[in-house]
Amino acid sequence: MKKSIYKIIGLLLLLPLFSGCNDSDDVASIFTGKTWKLNYITVDGSHEMFDFWGDKLKEEASIKELNKNGTYNVVFEGVAEGDLISGKIRGNVIASYPLAGTWSANGKNNNFNANVTGNDGGDRLAKNFLEGLNNATSYEGDNKNLYLLYKPNGSQQTFRMVFRVVNN
């Protein structure tokens, strides 16, 4: 009886070796079917908003705008073919300034690319939001959290745009 139990346990331990492993993200599930809202932009490895302003009053105005419903959001629409997805991106920057463009992502190597246009209204955070979308080269995340990584023009530091879902 004891030998039978050990054989069964041994077979169960081998089961993962026989099952296939897919090391690719479900890009459609991650990006589409929801609205992504920017939480903050930070230097990669940090967890707080980067100081784009150097001026407390301008920072407060930007954060107030960030906290409004319907600002700093994006919606990804696209069709997946295997590990690749591409399509249109739309959303809002600040107040009534929309953004629009195209995007693509690769679930196998986490590459990301977007080409968006929009108006930053002279706001430093809005400027960096648009720059981040246009310069993003990779993504991380799942269907509840999204991180777009980019290097600002002329910078060696990698920045991380941190998004959350606001509706499904």
Side-chain angles (χ1 to χ4, degrees), residues 89-107:
I89 182 174
R90 62 184 168 80
N92 288 305
V93 186
I94 57 175
S96 59
Y97 294 133
L99 66 84
T102 58
W103 71 284
S104 65
N106 184 320

PDB file of all heavy atoms in Angstrom, residues 89-107:
ATOM      1  N   ILE A  89      -5.607  53.935 -29.808  1.00  0.00           N
ATOM      2  CA  ILE A  89      -5.599  54.380 -28.420  1.00  0.00           C
ATOM      3  C   ILE A  89      -6.309  55.725 -28.381  1.00  0.00           C
ATOM      4  O   ILE A  89      -6.149  56.546 -29.283  1.00  0.00           O
ATOM      5  CB  ILE A  89      -4.157  54.479 -27.859  1.00  0.00           C
ATOM      6  CG1 ILE A  89      -4.139  54.905 -26.401  1.00  0.00           C
ATOM      7  CG2 ILE A  89      -3.314  55.404 -28.695  1.00  0.00           C
ATOM      8  CD1 ILE A  89      -2.753  54.881 -25.768  1.00  0.00           C
ATOM      9  N   ARG A  90      -7.123  55.907 -27.363  1.00  0.00           N
ATOM     10  CA  ARG A  90      -7.805  57.186 -27.175  1.00  0.00           C
ATOM     11  C   ARG A  90      -7.881  57.451 -25.678  1.00  0.00           C
ATOM     12  O   ARG A  90      -7.676  56.558 -24.867  1.00  0.00           O
ATOM     13  CB  ARG A  90      -9.194  57.167 -27.797  1.00  0.00           C
ATOM     14  CG  ARG A  90     -10.122  56.139 -27.196  1.00  0.00           C
ATOM     15  CD  ARG A  90     -11.472  56.093 -27.903  1.00  0.00           C
ATOM     16  NE  ARG A  90     -12.225  54.924 -27.506  1.00  0.00           N
ATOM     17  CZ  ARG A  90     -12.920  54.810 -26.389  1.00  0.00           C
ATOM     18  NH1 ARG A  90     -12.958  55.806 -25.524  1.00  0.00           N
ATOM     19  NH2 ARG A  90     -13.571  53.701 -26.121  1.00  0.00           N
ATOM     20  N   GLY A  91      -8.171  58.691 -25.329  1.00  0.00           N
ATOM     21  CA  GLY A  91      -8.283  59.034 -23.919  1.00  0.00           C
ATOM     22  C   GLY A  91      -8.313  60.528 -23.737  1.00  0.00           C
ATOM     23  O   GLY A  91      -8.567  61.288 -24.677  1.00  0.00           O
ATOM     24  N   ASN A  92      -8.038  60.940 -22.505  1.00  0.00           N
ATOM     25  CA  ASN A  92      -8.004  62.357 -22.152  1.00  0.00           C
ATOM     26  C   ASN A  92      -6.744  62.651 -21.372  1.00  0.00           C
ATOM     27  O   ASN A  92      -6.313  61.855 -20.551  1.00  0.00           O
ATOM     28  CB  ASN A  92      -9.214  62.741 -21.314  1.00  0.00           C
ATOM     29  CG  ASN A  92     -10.471  62.763 -22.141  1.00  0.00           C
ATOM     30  OD1 ASN A  92     -10.544  63.438 -23.155  1.00  0.00           O
ATOM     31  ND2 ASN A  92     -11.466  61.999 -21.716  1.00  0.00           N
ATOM     32  N   VAL A  93      -6.207  63.822 -21.640  1.00  0.00           N
ATOM     33  CA  VAL A  93      -5.043  64.280 -20.886  1.00  0.00           C
ATOM     34  C   VAL A  93      -5.587  65.086 -19.708  1.00  0.00           C
ATOM     35  O   VAL A  93      -5.846  64.529 -18.650  1.00  0.00           O
ATOM     36  CB  VAL A  93      -4.082  65.122 -21.765  1.00  0.00           C
ATOM     37  CG1 VAL A  93      -2.818  65.460 -20.997  1.00  0.00           C
ATOM     38  CG2 VAL A  93      -3.743  64.379 -23.050  1.00  0.00           C
ATOM     39  N   ILE A  94      -5.785  66.378 -19.872  1.00  0.00           N
ATOM     40  CA  ILE A  94      -6.357  67.205 -18.804  1.00  0.00           C
ATOM     41  C   ILE A  94      -7.609  67.893 -19.327  1.00  0.00           C
ATOM     42  O   ILE A  94      -7.788  68.050 -20.540  1.00  0.00           O
ATOM     43  CB  ILE A  94      -5.349  68.255 -18.272  1.00  0.00           C
ATOM     44  CG1 ILE A  94      -4.851  69.154 -19.396  1.00  0.00           C
ATOM     45  CG2 ILE A  94      -4.195  67.574 -17.577  1.00  0.00           C
ATOM     46  CD1 ILE A  94      -3.957  70.286 -18.931  1.00  0.00           C
ATOM     47  N   ALA A  95      -8.451  68.303 -18.398  1.00  0.00           N
ATOM     48  CA  ALA A  95      -9.693  69.020 -18.718  1.00  0.00           C
ATOM     49  C   ALA A  95     -10.368  68.393 -19.925  1.00  0.00           C
ATOM     50  O   ALA A  95     -10.732  67.239 -19.882  1.00  0.00           O
ATOM     51  CB  ALA A  95      -9.424  70.503 -18.889  1.00  0.00           C
ATOM     52  N   SER A  96     -10.495  69.132 -20.978  1.00  0.00           N
ATOM     53  CA  SER A  96     -11.165  68.601 -22.166  1.00  0.00           C
ATOM     54  C   SER A  96     -10.187  68.369 -23.308  1.00  0.00           C
ATOM     55  O   SER A  96     -10.540  68.492 -24.472  1.00  0.00           O
ATOM     56  CB  SER A  96     -12.275  69.564 -22.594  1.00  0.00           C
ATOM     57  OG  SER A  96     -11.716  70.823 -22.876  1.00  0.00           O
ATOM     58  N   TYR A  97      -8.935  68.039 -22.991  1.00  0.00           N
ATOM     59  CA  TYR A  97      -7.925  67.784 -24.006  1.00  0.00           C
ATOM     60  C   TYR A  97      -7.839  66.280 -24.287  1.00  0.00           C
ATOM     61  O   TYR A  97      -7.278  65.527 -23.493  1.00  0.00           O
ATOM     62  CB  TYR A  97      -6.547  68.286 -23.577  1.00  0.00           C
ATOM     63  CG  TYR A  97      -6.453  69.783 -23.439  1.00  0.00           C
ATOM     64  CD1 TYR A  97      -5.857  70.346 -22.324  1.00  0.00           C
ATOM     65  CD2 TYR A  97      -6.941  70.633 -24.424  1.00  0.00           C
ATOM     66  CE1 TYR A  97      -5.747  71.727 -22.195  1.00  0.00           C
ATOM     67  CE2 TYR A  97      -6.835  72.010 -24.300  1.00  0.00           C
ATOM     68  CZ  TYR A  97      -6.245  72.544 -23.186  1.00  0.00           C
ATOM     69  OH  TYR A  97      -6.137  73.904 -23.052  1.00  0.00           O
ATOM     70  N   PRO A  98      -8.373  65.858 -25.434  1.00  0.00           N
ATOM     71  CA  PRO A  98      -8.304  64.429 -25.764  1.00  0.00           C
ATOM     72  C   PRO A  98      -6.945  64.034 -26.334  1.00  0.00           C
ATOM     73  O   PRO A  98      -6.157  64.891 -26.742  1.00  0.00           O
ATOM     74  CB  PRO A  98      -9.395  64.269 -26.829  1.00  0.00           C
ATOM     75  CG  PRO A  98      -9.459  65.600 -27.498  1.00  0.00           C
ATOM     76  CD  PRO A  98      -9.139  66.616 -26.420  1.00  0.00           C
ATOM     77  N   LEU A  99      -6.681  62.745 -26.335  1.00  0.00           N
ATOM     78  CA  LEU A  99      -5.518  62.207 -27.015  1.00  0.00           C
ATOM     79  C   LEU A  99      -6.006  61.085 -27.917  1.00  0.00           C
ATOM     80  O   LEU A  99      -7.037  60.479 -27.659  1.00  0.00           O
ATOM     81  CB  LEU A  99      -4.444  61.712 -26.040  1.00  0.00           C
ATOM     82  CG  LEU A  99      -4.735  60.504 -25.149  1.00  0.00           C
ATOM     83  CD1 LEU A  99      -4.465  59.194 -25.859  1.00  0.00           C
ATOM     84  CD2 LEU A  99      -3.884  60.584 -23.903  1.00  0.00           C
ATOM     85  N   ALA A 100      -5.274  60.819 -28.976  1.00  0.00           N
ATOM     86  CA  ALA A 100      -5.627  59.750 -29.910  1.00  0.00           C
ATOM     87  C   ALA A 100      -4.375  59.293 -30.628  1.00  0.00           C
ATOM     88  O   ALA A 100      -3.408  60.037 -30.756  1.00  0.00           O
ATOM     89  CB  ALA A 100      -6.665  60.239 -30.912  1.00  0.00           C
ATOM     90  N   GLY A 101      -4.408  58.055 -31.095  1.00  0.00           N
ATOM     91  CA  GLY A 101      -3.284  57.537 -31.846  1.00  0.00           C
ATOM     92  C   GLY A 101      -3.374  56.048 -32.047  1.00  0.00           C
ATOM     93  O   GLY A 101      -4.460  55.471 -32.004  1.00  0.00           O
ATOM     94  N   THR A 102      -2.202  55.443 -32.242  1.00  0.00           N
ATOM     95  CA  THR A 102      -2.114  54.004 -32.453  1.00  0.00           C
ATOM     96  C   THR A 102      -1.135  53.416 -31.441  1.00  0.00           C
ATOM     97  O   THR A 102      -0.317  54.134 -30.863  1.00  0.00           O
ATOM     98  CB  THR A 102      -1.626  53.687 -33.882  1.00  0.00           C
ATOM     99  OG1 THR A 102      -0.358  54.310 -34.085  1.00  0.00           O
ATOM    100  CG2 THR A 102      -2.626  54.181 -34.920  1.00  0.00           C
ATOM    101  N   TRP A 103      -1.220  52.106 -31.255  1.00  0.00           N
ATOM    102  CA  TRP A 103      -0.354  51.426 -30.298  1.00  0.00           C
ATOM    103  C   TRP A 103      -0.177  49.975 -30.721  1.00  0.00           C
ATOM    104  O   TRP A 103      -0.948  49.439 -31.526  1.00  0.00           O
ATOM    105  CB  TRP A 103      -0.928  51.497 -28.887  1.00  0.00           C
ATOM    106  CG  TRP A 103      -2.156  50.628 -28.730  1.00  0.00           C
ATOM    107  CD1 TRP A 103      -3.413  50.892 -29.193  1.00  0.00           C
ATOM    108  CD2 TRP A 103      -2.212  49.358 -28.107  1.00  0.00           C
ATOM    109  NE1 TRP A 103      -4.251  49.855 -28.891  1.00  0.00           N
ATOM    110  CE2 TRP A 103      -3.539  48.898 -28.216  1.00  0.00           C
ATOM    111  CE3 TRP A 103      -1.282  48.560 -27.457  1.00  0.00           C
ATOM    112  CZ2 TRP A 103      -3.955  47.674 -27.703  1.00  0.00           C
ATOM    113  CZ3 TRP A 103      -1.697  47.342 -26.943  1.00  0.00           C
ATOM    114  CH2 TRP A 103      -3.018  46.911 -27.061  1.00  0.00           C
ATOM    115  N   SER A 104       0.837  49.329 -30.153  1.00  0.00           N
ATOM    116  CA  SER A 104       1.041  47.899 -30.333  1.00  0.00           C
ATOM    117  C   SER A 104       1.809  47.358 -29.134  1.00  0.00           C
ATOM    118  O   SER A 104       2.526  48.095 -28.449  1.00  0.00           O
ATOM    119  CB  SER A 104       1.805  47.615 -31.634  1.00  0.00           C
ATOM    120  OG  SER A 104       3.099  48.151 -31.573  1.00  0.00           O
ATOM    121  N   ALA A 105       1.613  46.074 -28.882  1.00  0.00           N
ATOM    122  CA  ALA A 105       2.326  45.406 -27.790  1.00  0.00           C
ATOM    123  C   ALA A 105       2.607  43.969 -28.191  1.00  0.00           C
ATOM    124  O   ALA A 105       1.878  43.385 -28.998  1.00  0.00           O
ATOM    125  CB  ALA A 105       1.504  45.450 -26.499  1.00  0.00           C
ATOM    126  N   ASN A 106       3.658  43.414 -27.618  1.00  0.00           N
ATOM    127  CA  ASN A 106       4.063  42.042 -27.879  1.00  0.00           C
ATOM    128  C   ASN A 106       4.071  41.285 -26.556  1.00  0.00           C
ATOM    129  O   ASN A 106       4.839  41.623 -25.660  1.00  0.00           O
ATOM    130  CB  ASN A 106       5.450  42.027 -28.525  1.00  0.00           C
ATOM    131  CG  ASN A 106       5.907  40.649 -28.911  1.00  0.00           C
ATOM    132  OD1 ASN A 106       5.700  39.673 -28.204  1.00  0.00           O
ATOM    133  ND2 ASN A 106       6.549  40.557 -30.054  1.00  0.00           N
ATOM    134  N   GLY A 107       3.205  40.295 -26.428  1.00  0.00           N
ATOM    135  CA  GLY A 107       3.093  39.532 -25.192  1.00  0.00           C
ATOM    136  C   GLY A 107       4.260  38.610 -24.930  1.00  0.00           C
ATOM    137  O   GLY A 107       4.438  38.130 -23.808  1.00  0.00           O
TER     138      GLY A 107
END
